[in-house]
Amino acid sequence: MIFNSIEYLLFLAIVFILHSLIPKKVRKYLLIIASFIFYASHQLSLTLVLIFLIVFNYLIGHRLRKNMESSKNKILLKLGIIINVLLLCFYKYIPALSAMLFKYSSDEKKISWIMPLGLSFIVFQLISYLVDSYKNKIEVEYSFIDFILYVSFFPKVIQGPIVKARDFLPQIGRKVSNELIGVGAINILWGLFMKMVVSDRIAMAVNTAYSSPREQTGWTLIIATCLYGLQLYFDFAGYSLIAIGSAKLFGVEFKSNFRMPYLSTSVSEFWRRWHISLNEWLLEYIYIPLGGSRRGFNRYVINILITFAISGIWHGSTLAFLIWGLLNGVYIIMEKIYSNYKEKKSKGTALQEEPLDYKHLVVTGKRIYVFVFISFTWLFFRAGNLLQSKVILWRVINRLQGDETMTAIGQMIAGNDATFMGMGLRDWKILVFFFIIGIIIDLIAQDKALDRILYQKPIWIKWPILYIIIFVIIIFGVYGYGYSANSFIYQQF
Amino acid sequence: MNSKVKLILRSLLFFVILFALLIGSGFYFVPKWRGIDAELPRGFYHEEEDSLDVLLIGSCNIYTSFSPLLAYKDYGFKSYVFGTPDQDLNTSYYYFKEGLKSQKEIDVVVLESLFFTLGSTPKREYYNRTALDHMPFSLNKLQAIFDIGKEEAEFMSTVDPTAPSEALTYAGYIFPTLRYHNRDDLTQDDIDFWFDDENYRYTKGTNFLRSFIKNDTLSFNGINNGTEIKDLAKEYFLKIKDLAEDEGVKLIVVNSPNFYRWNRELVDEVKYFVEDHGVEFIDYFGNDDFTIYDVSEHTGRLNVYGVKKYTRLLSEELMNLKELEIKPATESVNNSWNQDIDRLYEELKNNKYTIDEGEIAFIKGEEDGLFIKWNDFLDDQTYHLYRALNDTEDYKLVVSTKDDYFLDTDVIDGEHYKYYLESLVQSEQSYSRVNDYVFLEPVDFVEKENSEEGLEVTWDNSHQDVEYILESKRNSSMNFSRVGSFEENQYTYTGDNPESTDFRVIRSVTVDDRQYYSKGCPLFSYNIND
């Protein structure tokens, strides 16, 4: 029951209708039942792991809150965190480690099992819950039932956003306004547009290039890698919007998970705009406890590298993900060195304002720099393993073949059923058109809450727009037979 | 008004409009499985309400065999073949239900039985779509979707990982727009599609297969893909039977002639099963009235002559049923049927087909004579075939026969013969129109020789005043195409020839602006590597 399936939309509609009809008191029970049905529809047997995590963490958290002054609390907290992390390692890293160690052995020797869906997200949320309980940051009173709902709440259980208990629990049982419902529905619709019309169409091109990198020119792989960054954005931001919109239908509001990351002028800013819930978590529960930037430059470097290394291995269990994480850490450190240098240099001299035109140029240049550098890191992320990453890098360096790439593009534009990166001219036209629409809407939504503005418009303006979006998704979306059933990229983490 | 109620009402309205838009858009944004077979059932919805007496349901084996127009012309009852390609009995059941919605006065329903034993599992989407897409939205359509589409939905979602989920498969049938995104473009054709059904609806569901063959090895004992009656067929046959009983409609089951698909064991299995349930089965297997000249090439189904015969045979059976009472129709309905009959005859005439009984259907040049085929009365008749040489000689009796064809071997090369037929049916005489043909002997011999320039072909040129036509084809599945026509007897073929090509030489003469051909000479081939 992935978010862009008819099954999910039907499920959501049924739960929403029931939620609206039943008394307020029993609504959370309905949501818990719905959440477990949702989770079990993916992995029935592994629902037991979810139940174990809920019971175990509730008991620890309860104990932590009950005996605030107890000296054993720190040990209890550590125990809780270790058990959670061990469980994550057990499911996520042991099979990967075994695959690495027994690379050349028969499959029988390799350890393999299926990881419970959303485990990485659930574990991070639970760690934040334990730490907040220990630090007494959860100010609201809550029951075991509330806690079950916090962990299992279906709009976020599989793929986030990572929501802290202190943000979620106060919202349980809150009155659901019509506006929240309307805005939630708009969010879901736009999320589906981002995922099905833009991201999944980009995926057709990217998957073609990455599935056979040895047959691609260097330029094709560069284009595919840049496109992958955009695909990932539309995919995950789309998913997040569906999750945010779904939660709103039940009166729960999540923070934004993306804020136009590709408009960032530095890599550090990029990470404040990309997958915000994860990066805030890393900041609060890893980077700052390690000391952040307060303990000198050397320690800062180590803390950044540790934080991004954790981010890397959280995303995937191969070396390529570790390299991806560390690369981002290195960028941020280099930016820090440069800004320190600039600061030092400008000390004592009057700050000169750059002319307006020049300033725009500089900002654009910085954005291009961020896009190029971040896209380079996506190469490791998309390749998923070191061997594939090396193949792609080798071809980018040694087999650029710009003329061949241009010929392929030219033939595709000229028609004759020619394709470029597996897509014909029609697909490219649809992609470019709706990508531009998506970006324009995103840019406008930077400064204005477009969803709320649209909701407040009269029906004769609002409904035609919604119908158009629905029909664009239906007619130009990538789904059903003929295309691969695309699941959301972040589901695998 | 309470804001909650307001929200519910608004949401309801939003979804009602969305539903209407999706259904409406389905008329345009729909995969068009075009082709006459897929489109014929759409004509059913143009029939005047309660105007039909008989409904025929089933697969291609009925809609290529029976013509309601010819039945109406000769017997006066109105019928429609509500069939679709590969129609399984579950589809037949829903078609029967669909038919009864607008034709409540039907007396007889004829169920074709080929798919009691045949049929692939799961059905290909093409077949399900041709059965379901043109049905107007209704509860019956929804039931049909969840029933007919079930196998496809379950199969696709379990076997093919790239296939849509079950829910999406069903949704794609309810709202065809959901399948549109795999189409390449939206053209004027898509818009015209729903307004452009004049061209096929006039046949009342029949697709006339017009080619015919003369293949001496062809018999009723053809290919048999089925081995036993399918469970699905048993289940839905009983449903059809119950529905017919409930609605007071007489159900009969037939096995329309098919030279490839039936064999005695299968027919008997179906026949006994149907009769065990108290339903009449009309068996056409091995019926002597049908010859190889009534069969369509490749398919084994009936051609126009076969349709004419079968329509007559089945119509007589139907007319004997006490349940069939021909309803009086309004003048406009009768006029419309008569116009459709005129159009059918016009169409047949344009394609040089004569289907009236007692008329000569065609004359064809064979190697050893002229083959004359006429349309059978299907009674205990005797035919007298008369022939005259040119306009100078009187007509003489060539043969008296009860068959509906004759090979006249007493003919001379290059002579122009005229024929007419006298039919004696139940002591009544009738005469056909005159048909003529020029007999041309095949080209006697051909010599071929490879030279540097290409293939040098030389043929016998002892015949005078004729034109020689050299034809070629690259492979056996292609038709011959003309290389050129020559007065002399030699040609050097220099055409592009990557592998090998078959050739034949034909003689031709033109008399009174009509061209006559000999049976071609034996094929000879040319291989570039020779």
Side-chain angles (χ1 to χ4, degrees):
Chain A
M1 221 191 309
I2 55 172
F3 276 7
N4 58 335
S5 67
I6 289 202
E7 286 88 344
Y8 177 74
L9 296 177
L10 284 175
F11 168 81
L12 185 65
I14 292 167
V15 178
F16 170 68
I17 291 167
L18 290 175
H19 187 265
S20 309
L21 295 177
I22 59 174
K24 212 172 165 184
K25 275 184 187 173
V26 290
R27 283 179 177 173
K28 58 187 168 191
Y29 295 98
L30 170 77
L31 289 177
I32 289 172
I33 292 167
S35 298
F36 273 88
I37 291 172
F38 177 78
Y39 197 85
S41 75
H42 289 93
Q43 294 173 327
L44 182 61
S45 58
L46 292 174
T47 311
L48 286 174
V49 178
L50 180 68
I51 294 169
F52 165 76
L53 282 170
I54 290 170
V55 175
F56 173 76
N57 283 283
Y58 179 76
L59 290 175
I60 302 260
H62 187 67
R63 183 96 188 162
L64 288 172
R65 279 165 59 84
K66 211 172 170 187
N67 309 308
M68 291 302 297
E69 307 304 323
S70 170
S71 56
K72 288 177 183 169
N73 265 9
K74 202 162 191 173
I75 299 167
L76 208 59
L77 172 68
K78 281 180 183 168
L79 177 76
I81 293 173
I82 288 168
I83 296 287
N84 278 301
V85 171
L86 279 179
L87 198 76
L88 181 62
C89 293
F90 174 78
Y91 277 108
K92 191 163 184 167
Y93 303 112
I94 289 183
L97 206 65
S98 139
M100 221 186 309
L101 290 173
F102 300 105
K103 203 172 175 178
Y104 303 106
S105 309
S106 65
D107 283 350
E108 286 166 15
K109 282 192 175 176
K110 293 174 190 167
I111 302 167
S112 72
W113 43 67
I114 300 165
M115 189 174 94
L117 269 177
L119 187 63
S120 310
F121 291 93
I122 296 167
V123 163
F124 269 29
Q125 285 179 127
L126 289 170
I127 291 172
S128 77
Y129 163 73
L130 293 179
V131 174
D132 287 358
S133 297
Y134 173 76
K135 291 184 176 173
N136 200 20
K137 281 187 176 177
I138 305 170
E139 288 164 359
V140 67
E141 282 302 315
Y142 61 92
S143 65
F144 180 53
I145 295 295
D146 293 337
F147 184 73
I148 297 174
L149 181 58
Y150 160 61
V151 181
S152 65
F153 189 48
F154 70 87
K156 67 167 180 63
V157 71
I158 301 287
Q159 211 176 308
I162 298 169
V163 182
K164 292 173 196 111
R166 61 176 194 252
D167 295 330
F168 186 93
L169 292 169
Q171 299 190 61
I172 294 176
R174 198 169 82 153
K175 189 175 180 286
V176 192
S177 69
N178 285 359
E179 181 171 349
L180 201 60
I181 292 167
V183 170
I186 293 168
N187 290 158
I188 292 170
L189 210 53
W190 193 247
L192 287 171
F193 169 86
M194 291 176 83
K195 163 71 181 162
M196 294 168 74
V197 180
V198 185
S199 167
D200 285 351
R201 202 167 289 278
I202 301 178
M204 288 163 66
V206 173
N207 292 347
T208 304
Y210 268 82
S211 62
S212 53
R214 286 185 170 87
E215 292 163 23
Q216 312 296 334
T217 66
W219 269 112
T220 305
L221 290 168
I222 289 172
I223 295 168
T225 306
C226 292
L227 282 175
Y228 179 66
L230 299 172
Q231 177 201 341
L232 201 55
Y233 167 68
F234 278 96
D235 183 281
F236 197 25
Y239 174 90
S240 299
L241 263 182
I242 300 171
I244 289 167
S246 302
K248 278 179 184 164
L249 298 183
F250 307 103
V252 178
E253 287 189 86
F254 301 151
K255 288 179 194 163
S256 253
N257 216 14
F258 288 85
R259 270 196 322 268
M260 280 301 284
Y262 287 113
L263 287 185
S264 308
T265 51
S266 67
V267 174
S268 49
E269 188 192 348
F270 178 87
W271 284 108
R272 289 195 295 276
R273 288 165 170 260
W274 180 277
H275 199 176
I276 296 166
S277 65
L278 172 66
N279 290 303
E280 280 185 357
W281 190 94
L282 289 168
L283 187 77
E284 186 173 346
Y285 299 101
I286 305 284
Y287 178 70
I288 291 174
L290 285 173
S293 58
R294 291 161 299 169
R295 296 188 186 174
F297 183 74
N298 289 346
R299 191 56 199 266
Y300 162 78
V301 169
I302 291 167
N303 291 345
I304 284 283
L305 290 178
I306 289 174
T307 306
F308 275 93
I310 288 173
S311 176
I313 55 172
W314 180 87
H315 278 90
S317 47
T318 64
L319 275 176
F321 284 99
L322 182 64
I323 291 173
W324 167 79
L326 289 173
L327 256 179
N328 279 290
V330 169
Y331 287 163
I332 290 174
I333 292 163
M334 282 162 65
E335 280 177 357
K336 179 78 174 169
I337 293 169
Y338 178 69
S339 75
N340 284 350
Y341 164 76
K342 236 179 123 181
E343 209 176 301
K344 226 177 193 177
K345 209 180 159 192
S346 62
K347 240 178 202 172
T349 57
L351 207 64
Q352 278 188 342
E353 266 298 309
E354 286 155 347
L356 200 60
D357 288 347
Y358 183 62
K359 197 175 176 180
H360 277 304
L361 216 63
V362 169
V363 168
T364 309
K366 282 179 177 175
R367 283 175 179 164
I368 292 169
Y369 141 74
V370 170
F371 184 74
V372 170
F373 274 70
I374 288 293
S375 292
F376 178 65
T377 66
W378 291 138
L379 187 154
F380 297 93
F381 196 90
R382 175 61 180 81
N385 63 61
L386 220 49
L387 179 69
Q388 190 86 322
S389 310
K390 276 196 276 184
V391 170
I392 294 164
L393 272 175
W394 187 88
R395 291 199 73 83
V396 166
I397 295 164
N398 299 303
R399 293 278 187 278
L400 262 182
Q401 294 165 302
D403 47 343
E404 269 186 40
T405 312
M406 286 311 291
T407 309
I409 294 172
Q411 279 176 345
M412 189 265 298
I413 291 170
N416 308 326
D417 293 331
T419 58
F420 176 61
M421 293 171 74
M423 294 207 307
L425 188 58
R426 174 185 179 258
D427 282 320
W428 280 105
K429 278 183 189 168
I430 293 172
L431 172 58
V432 170
F433 181 76
F434 288 111
F435 172 75
I436 291 169
I437 299 278
I439 292 294
I440 291 170
I441 299 290
D442 245 13
L443 283 171
I444 300 169
Q446 279 285 320
D447 309 319
K448 294 170 187 163
L450 270 188
D451 45 8
R452 284 183 202 280
I453 293 171
L454 181 61
Y455 174 78
Q456 282 154 3
K457 293 281 176 208
I459 280 178
W460 60 271
I461 296 178
K462 179 168 57 182
W463 285 15
I465 293 174
L466 296 179
Y467 288 133
I468 288 170
I469 299 173
I470 291 171
F471 272 85
V472 164
I473 294 168
I474 288 173
I475 293 168
F476 297 105
V478 177
Y479 62 93
Y481 205 66
Y483 295 117
S484 310
N486 283 286
S487 52
F488 288 90
I489 294 172
Y490 258 69
Q491 198 159 300
Q492 60 190 294
F493 307 125
Chain B
M1 199 188 292
N2 176 318
S3 76
K4 202 170 170 181
V5 176
K6 213 169 153 184
L7 176 75
I8 291 169
L9 287 178
R10 274 193 179 184
S11 307
L12 212 61
L13 182 65
F14 181 85
F15 283 104
V16 166
I17 295 173
L18 179 63
F19 189 82
L21 286 172
L22 280 170
I23 294 287
S25 65
F27 287 111
Y28 301 107
F29 297 101
V30 64
K32 309 293 187 301
W33 307 93
R34 293 203 88 151
I36 191 161
D37 287 3
E39 293 166 18
L40 285 169
R42 282 174 52 208
F44 178 82
Y45 298 96
H46 293 276
E47 292 302 310
E48 180 84 14
E49 204 166 312
D50 295 333
S51 64
L52 299 179
D53 304 299
V54 177
L55 186 70
L56 300 103
I57 47 177
S59 65
C60 53
N61 214 41
I62 186 74
Y63 69 70
T64 57
S65 302
F66 185 86
S67 165
L69 282 179
L70 297 178
Y72 173 71
K73 180 174 172 280
D74 293 337
Y75 299 90
F77 67 85
K78 296 187 180 70
S79 57
Y80 201 99
V81 187
F82 208 16
T84 51
D86 248 39
Q87 189 180 97
D88 254 318
L89 263 78
N90 53 356
T91 310
S92 296
Y93 170 68
Y94 288 103
Y95 266 57
F96 185 20
K97 279 178 84 178
E98 188 74 5
L100 286 170
K101 276 160 60 184
S102 59
Q103 302 293 339
K104 296 178 194 69
E105 306 293 318
I106 282 170
D107 294 326
V108 182
V109 62
V110 179
L111 172 65
E112 212 291 325
S113 57
L114 190 63
F115 276 76
F116 270 69
T117 53
L118 277 184
S120 55
T121 303
K123 274 263 177 285
R124 276 168 49 200
E125 187 189 7
Y126 166 79
Y127 295 118
N128 288 342
R129 290 230 161 250
T130 54
L132 294 167
D133 272 357
H134 63 80
M135 261 193 205
F137 190 78
S138 67
L139 187 62
N140 186 47
K141 179 172 182 171
L142 272 184
Q143 288 172 335
I145 287 170
F146 285 107
D147 213 344
I148 297 167
K150 195 174 154 196
E151 272 184 358
E152 181 195 329
E154 284 175 357
F155 176 80
M156 290 299 186
S157 58
T158 52
V159 175
D160 185 349
T162 66
S165 65
E166 279 187 51
L168 188 57
T169 303
Y170 291 128
Y173 283 108
I174 300 169
F175 308 115
T177 311
L178 292 177
R179 284 294 274 134
Y180 180 79
H181 66 288
N182 284 350
R183 279 280 312 277
D184 276 348
D185 48 14
L186 180 67
T187 64
Q188 185 62 36
D189 201 34
D190 295 71
I191 310 295
D192 295 340
F193 181 74
W194 292 97
F195 303 103
D196 174 31
D197 45 15
E198 281 289 331
N199 286 332
Y200 46 84
R201 77 174 189 225
Y202 79 93
T203 66
K204 311 290 182 193
T206 309
N207 180 9
F208 288 91
L209 291 168
R210 287 163 179 174
S211 60
F212 58 90
I213 54 170
K214 182 179 177 297
N215 181 344
D216 295 334
T217 60
L218 197 64
S219 76
F220 267 108
N221 285 304
I223 305 158
N224 167 20
N225 290 350
T227 51
E228 58 183 4
I229 300 176
K230 297 183 296 185
D231 290 341
L232 178 115
K234 287 179 182 171
E235 182 189 343
Y236 279 91
F237 167 72
L238 295 177
K239 285 189 175 187
I240 291 170
K241 179 180 157 276
D242 291 346
L243 181 61
E245 282 170 5
D246 292 347
E247 298 291 330
V249 178
K250 168 79 176 173
L251 168 66
I252 60 166
V253 181
V254 296
N255 61 338
S256 306
N258 188 316
F259 275 52
Y260 289 161
R261 292 299 186 188
W262 284 117
N263 64 45
R264 188 70 262 165
E265 291 74 31
L266 269 186
V267 172
D268 286 345
E269 198 181 338
V270 175
K271 181 179 157 74
Y272 297 142
F273 173 77
V274 168
E275 287 177 348
D276 280 350
H277 288 89
V279 176
E280 191 179 336
F281 183 87
I282 306 176
D283 184 3
Y284 290 98
F285 180 77
N287 188 309
D288 289 342
D289 291 316
F290 297 97
T291 69
I292 48 179
Y293 304 107
D294 299 315
V295 180
S296 170
E297 201 167 6
H298 303 310
T299 65
R301 296 191 289 258
L302 300 177
N303 59 26
V304 282
Y305 310 111
V307 171
K308 173 75 181 177
K309 278 185 186 175
Y310 181 63
T311 301
R312 180 157 178 200
L313 287 170
L314 183 55
S315 296
E316 282 180 0
E317 295 281 356
L318 294 173
M319 290 299 286
N320 288 333
L321 295 173
K322 64 179 189 313
E323 289 83 0
L324 178 59
E325 290 176 15
I326 300 173
K327 284 184 290 292
T330 61
E331 203 181 328
S332 70
V333 171
N334 285 336
N335 285 344
S336 158
W337 276 75
N338 290 331
Q339 280 170 12
D340 289 340
I341 289 170
D342 291 345
R343 182 164 176 190
L344 173 66
Y345 273 82
E346 190 65 31
E347 186 84 4
L348 291 170
K349 195 178 152 193
N350 292 341
N351 287 283
K352 298 188 170 56
Y353 289 104
T354 307
I355 58 165
D356 286 332
E357 286 90 349
E359 290 290 348
I360 292 173
F362 61 85
I363 303 175
K364 216 167 91 170
E366 292 291 341
E367 286 174 28
D368 47 356
L370 291 174
F371 180 81
I372 303 107
K373 164 84 174 80
W374 53 88
N375 298 317
D376 204 344
F377 274 99
L378 301 175
D379 284 304
D380 187 22
Q381 71 287 296
T382 303
Y383 299 108
H384 295 160
L385 183 67
Y386 291 90
R387 187 188 79 186
L389 179 63
N390 298 317
D391 293 325
T392 55
E393 199 181 74
D394 290 338
Y395 281 93
K396 287 176 187 162
L397 180 67
V398 181
V399 69
S400 287
T401 178
K402 285 185 179 294
D403 290 335
D404 59 358
Y405 58 89
F406 178 69
L407 179 64
D408 187 1
T409 53
D410 184 21
V411 285
I412 299 163
D413 182 61
E415 295 293 354
H416 187 190
Y417 292 97
K418 294 188 171 183
Y419 293 89
Y420 77 85
L421 189 74
E422 179 189 18
S423 308
L424 298 168
V425 184
Q426 294 165 359
S427 316
E428 283 188 24
Q429 285 172 306
S430 69
Y431 298 95
S432 75
R433 286 185 288 271
V434 172
N435 273 252
D436 60 336
Y437 210 87
V438 175
F439 176 64
L440 294 173
E441 285 178 354
V443 174
D444 286 343
F445 65 90
V446 172
E447 286 178 356
K448 55 166 188 157
E449 194 180 333
N450 277 357
S451 71
E452 282 182 7
E453 289 175 39
L455 177 73
E456 280 182 21
V457 187
T458 313
W459 54 86
D460 166 47
N461 68 340
S462 55
H463 304 283
Q464 298 301 310
D465 303 325
V466 294
E467 187 181 30
Y468 295 97
I469 299 164
L470 178 66
E471 293 184 329
S472 71
K473 69 172 176 177
R474 283 270 167 86
N475 61 58
S476 55
S477 62
M478 288 170 74
N479 290 325
F480 272 101
S481 60
R482 186 175 287 209
V483 177
S485 52
F486 318 94
E487 287 183 8
E488 58 277 14
N489 68 330
Q490 197 180 17
Y491 179 72
T492 304
Y493 178 76
T494 56
D496 175 34
N497 183 27
E499 291 298 329
S500 71
T501 305
D502 285 335
F503 292 92
R504 68 180 182 189
V505 181
I506 291 170
R507 292 173 60 209
S508 170
V509 293
T510 305
V511 178
D512 299 335
D513 293 334
R514 186 176 158 198
Q515 203 161 12
Y516 298 91
Y517 303 95
S518 70
K519 183 88 175 175
C521 70
L523 302 186
F524 56 95
S525 60
Y526 167 51
N527 192 317
I528 200 162
N529 300 317
D530 286 349

